[in-house]
Amino acid sequence: MELLRILSPFLSQLLLILLPQVSFAEFNTLPLKEATLADLQLGFKQNTLTSRQLVEFYLGQIQRLNPHLNAVTEVNPDALYEADKADHERRAKAPVSNSMLHGIPILLKDNIATKDKLNTTAGSFALLGSIVPRDSGVATKLRKAGAIILGKASMTEWAAFKSNNAPNGWSARGGQGVNPYNSSVTPCGSSSGSGIAVAANMAAVTLGTDTSGSILCPSSFNAAVGIRPTVGLTSRAGVVPISSRQDTIGPICRTVTDAVHVLDAIAGIDHDDIATIETSKYIPKGGYAQFLKRDGLKGKRIGIARGFFDFGDALFLLKHLSNISRHILIFRQGGAVLVDHLKITNALEIFGNSSGERTALEIEFKIYLNAYLKELVSSPVRSLADVIAFNNKNSKLEKIKEYGQDILTSSQATKGIGNEWKAAVSNLGRLSKNGFEKLMKKNKLDALVTAGEIVSSVLAIGGFPGIIVPAGYEDGVPIGICFGGLRGAEPKLIEIAYAFEQATKIRNPPPLNF
Ligand SMILES: *[C@@H]1O[C@H](CO)[C@@H](O)[C@H](O)[C@H]1NC(C)=O
Ligand SMILES: *[C@@H]1O[C@H](CO)[C@@H](O)[C@H](O)[C@H]1NC(C)=O
Ligand SMILES: *[C@@H]1O[C@H](CO)[C@@H](O)[C@H](O)[C@H]1NC(C)=O
Ligand SMILES: *[C@@H]1O[C@H](CO)[C@@H](O)[C@H](O)[C@H]1NC(C)=O
């Protein structure tokens, strides 16, 4: 007895170490690493897998990998309970939905509110302990579909709207997110944790948010598939905002198919975000999964924007030109019509800092954030001014000396919707109309293809959708290929992205040598 008592702390340590292994052994009928939603649903159907086992598997992965990767800020203490509920419903043949997400654990970026035991903090200590009035619109839809909220994924603090000097993938609460493919390279952000976690099999699927590249970039760097939906296709209600003009919520997953199933679950009308009403006209009858077609490239007009490679990241992206060229062959073989050597003539202006994007976002952030904070049931901070004061007071915790909070303070200095905002937004409209829109319409394109996330701002300022799919590796670091389209282009983009993915299958799981 005495010996057992002395040993017991060690035993519990040992158990902790053994637990994930035990789980692996149990699941030798169905490898859970890299499992797709279809694999998992088949396991449920054939009674070789339960949601409880699945949650236990991902909790084991998080326990083992998160100390190295910092992808997850919190796990849901009720995840196992929700898993049992899902298993029970399935056994009783009364699942709440036929969704591919029934009984599936999903991680949400830490700026997507859930009315449960999880905090929603956008990576900031200022929001720790705040109580949200209700689930976000997308969380409501996920629960309706029967998904299990597994936890919150780390992110660049305030969706990269705190400081120009803060590293991508870093937040005070979540620490520095680590790229699982190469720890010396950024995981990119701001949906860093979602990208890292799904790449490293710490969840079945994840959600991110995108204002200007925050889904596309981490998807590119983590060999994930990211969908940045048309703005308004998915509800932004209950998501810590930057701008209702550009914010959009979308999936980050390991396959196009999984991402499309998640999109099907979250797209649609939410009366707490009126933009979803107008935008719902784009949602096809029967949803998006019908566009997962192997011959999806056939007859598509795909534009290739070489012009981008003259700009900015040119050296990095140039390395990928050879592979882009190889991918062009895939498009041809798939029966696509290629329109090559296109140039968005005003790309430099869009990427430059006088486009108006930053000006408009800074004005909008103050307005929308203040509205979000006011709606909270309780919160340590009630306004952007409070957040700035909190950061100054907790400067060590929030690393204010190291990184500052220059974006927060310039946003706070803005004076609301006035002539400056109108001029900025009107310039963005002009840039979008004379650039991307003109190019798409003039060449009758279904999609514009670019390497990596470089096209992000071009899509973001017009509220346009984009899908990114793994396309290659450089020093072991993944890079994606991005298909962008006009508002509502998701069906065509899905056809193209799926056919490309099926023809190439470039995603490899990360090495994870620890
Ligand atoms: C949420 O934050 C509080 C601190 O305010 C903490 O006690 C609690 O454990 C957090 N919730 C989860 C699920 O981690
Ligand atoms: C960009 O903004 C900075 C100040 O934030 C300014 O110094 C610089 O000249 C601007 N660059 C361009 C190309 O407008
Ligand atoms: C291009 O593809 C080859 C073969 O798949 C691969 O070895 C190489 O790393 C890729 N290069 C880039 C830049 O993606
Ligand atoms: C990681 O990336 C760095 C910088 O690109 C590179 O020098 C290094 O060789 C890479 N490491 C591996 C293991 O590929």
Side-chain angles (χ1 to χ4, degrees):
M1 254 349 251
E2 192 56 32
L3 185 66
L4 197 63
R5 203 159 57 219
I6 294 166
L7 274 180
S8 74
F10 300 101
L11 277 178
S12 64
Q13 282 298 318
L14 192 66
L15 264 179
L16 271 183
I17 295 164
L18 282 179
L19 248 173
Q21 266 87 358
V22 171
S23 313
F24 282 134
E26 268 177 37
F27 301 136
N28 49 14
T29 47
L30 175 65
L32 292 181
K33 272 190 194 163
E34 297 292 294
T36 64
L37 293 178
D39 295 335
L40 299 175
Q41 290 299 342
L42 189 67
F44 292 157
K45 200 171 155 207
Q46 297 181 336
N47 286 320
T48 53
L49 178 69
T50 63
S51 291
R52 170 170 272 269
Q53 287 172 320
L54 195 55
V55 167
E56 282 173 349
F57 168 76
Y58 290 127
L59 291 179
Q61 287 284 97
I62 292 168
Q63 191 178 38
R64 191 166 65 86
L65 298 175
N66 208 47
H68 304 280
L69 299 177
N70 279 336
V72 178
T73 347
E74 289 186 0
V75 294
N76 186 352
D78 292 329
L80 283 170
Y81 166 80
E82 287 185 23
D84 288 342
K85 217 171 73 183
D87 288 333
H88 179 78
E89 284 169 7
R90 213 179 300 109
R91 272 196 305 272
K93 305 238 183 301
V96 295
S97 83
N98 300 322
S99 166
M100 290 294 282
L101 289 185
H102 186 269
I104 298 293
I106 180 168
L107 277 173
L108 308 188
K109 186 176 178 179
D110 185 34
N111 59 353
I112 302 174
T114 51
K115 182 83 178 157
D116 51 19
K117 292 184 181 139
L118 291 160
N119 294 290
T120 305
T121 73
S124 167
F125 281 107
L127 280 178
L128 187 58
S130 66
I131 296 175
V132 301
R134 63 192 78 88
D135 269 336
S136 55
V138 289
T140 302
K141 287 203 189 316
L142 287 172
R143 289 197 213 271
K144 240 180 220 154
I148 298 164
I149 312 285
L150 183 65
K152 294 285 167 80
S154 64
M155 58 185 281
T156 315
E157 192 170 331
W158 295 109
F161 225 66
K162 179 188 186 187
S163 157
N164 281 308
N165 300 316
N168 228 332
W170 177 85
S171 72
R173 273 203 77 215
Q176 178 61 56
V178 174
N179 189 316
Y181 288 88
N182 182 329
S183 59
S184 61
V185 172
T186 180
C188 204
S190 67
S191 309
S192 42
S194 307
I196 298 163
V198 86
N201 285 282
M202 297 157 87
V205 290
T206 74
L207 282 193
T209 70
D210 191 312
T211 304
S212 195
S214 284
I215 286 176
L216 298 179
C217 195
S219 300
S220 184
F221 275 84
N222 292 284
V225 173
I227 302 181
R228 183 204 134 83
T230 300
V231 167
L233 196 71
T234 52
S235 169
R236 286 81 48 80
V239 177
V240 182
I242 293 179
S243 154
S244 81
R245 201 174 39 75
Q246 288 187 207
D247 291 351
T248 180
I249 320 304
I252 300 182
C253 298
R254 289 182 290 272
T255 66
V256 175
T257 306
D258 283 0
V260 166
H261 289 314
V262 174
L263 182 65
D264 266 333
I266 61 171
I269 293 177
D270 170 12
H271 289 280
D272 289 333
D273 177 358
I274 50 168
T276 58
I277 298 168
E278 158 79 7
T279 315
S280 69
K281 70 179 179 217
Y282 293 125
I283 302 177
K285 252 208 180 80
Y288 290 103
Q290 60 186 302
F291 303 105
L292 298 164
K293 295 182 193 160
R294 251 167 220 286
D295 65 350
L297 282 164
K298 208 163 164 183
K300 295 291 185 305
R301 287 180 66 83
I302 299 181
I304 299 166
R306 304 267 181 176
F308 280 111
F309 303 111
D310 300 342
F311 171 81
D313 278 324
L315 272 186
F316 177 69
L317 289 168
L318 264 178
K319 291 191 193 164
H320 299 277
L321 257 182
S322 60
N323 278 24
I324 291 287
S325 306
R326 287 193 311 113
H327 295 332
I328 287 169
L329 264 180
I330 303 275
F331 300 145
R332 286 228 168 83
Q333 283 162 1
V337 178
L338 298 182
V339 187
D340 203 350
H341 299 285
L342 294 177
K343 201 162 185 136
I344 296 181
T345 47
N346 59 15
L348 270 174
E349 218 184 319
I350 292 172
F351 294 129
N353 57 3
S354 54
S355 72
E357 187 182 10
R358 177 53 71 92
T359 306
L361 291 179
E362 282 180 0
I363 293 168
E364 291 157 346
F365 178 66
K366 181 179 177 184
I367 296 166
Y368 292 114
L369 182 70
N370 283 341
Y372 174 90
L373 295 175
K374 207 166 273 164
E375 260 230 303
L376 294 171
V377 174
S378 70
S379 172
V381 290
R382 285 302 191 173
S383 65
L384 176 55
D386 287 353
V387 173
I388 292 166
F390 176 96
N391 288 343
N392 285 329
K393 211 163 140 194
N394 300 277
S395 65
K396 216 167 162 177
L397 210 53
E398 286 286 340
K399 292 211 182 184
I400 296 303
K401 271 211 191 78
E402 288 91 330
Y403 304 140
Q405 50 176 336
D406 54 309
I407 305 179
L408 295 185
T409 51
S410 11
S411 177
Q412 176 60 22
T414 61
K415 301 257 174 339
I417 302 293
N419 288 338
E420 199 190 6
W421 179 83
K422 281 182 200 145
V425 169
S426 128
N427 195 50
L428 290 174
R430 180 184 66 80
L431 288 173
S432 201
K433 197 157 179 253
N434 297 342
F436 184 68
E437 279 179 62
K438 193 164 149 194
L439 177 120
M440 293 297 289
K441 286 177 182 160
K442 199 174 125 205
N443 295 287
K444 299 190 171 66
L445 299 181
D446 295 306
L448 184 75
V449 58
T450 46
E453 75 293 350
I454 193 157
V455 77
S456 290
S457 284
V458 171
L459 299 178
I461 63 170
F464 299 126
I467 303 186
I468 193 154
V469 181
Y473 301 86
E474 176 75 31
D475 284 336
V477 182
I479 182 167
I481 192 167
C482 183
F483 305 102
L486 295 172
R487 287 175 64 80
E490 280 84 356
K492 295 220 160 131
L493 299 183
I494 289 167
E495 288 183 343
I496 293 167
Y498 178 73
F500 173 82
E501 176 200 49
Q502 295 306 303
T504 54
K505 300 230 168 129
I506 285 162
R507 181 189 144 76
N508 296 320
L512 302 177
N513 309 317
F514 33 72

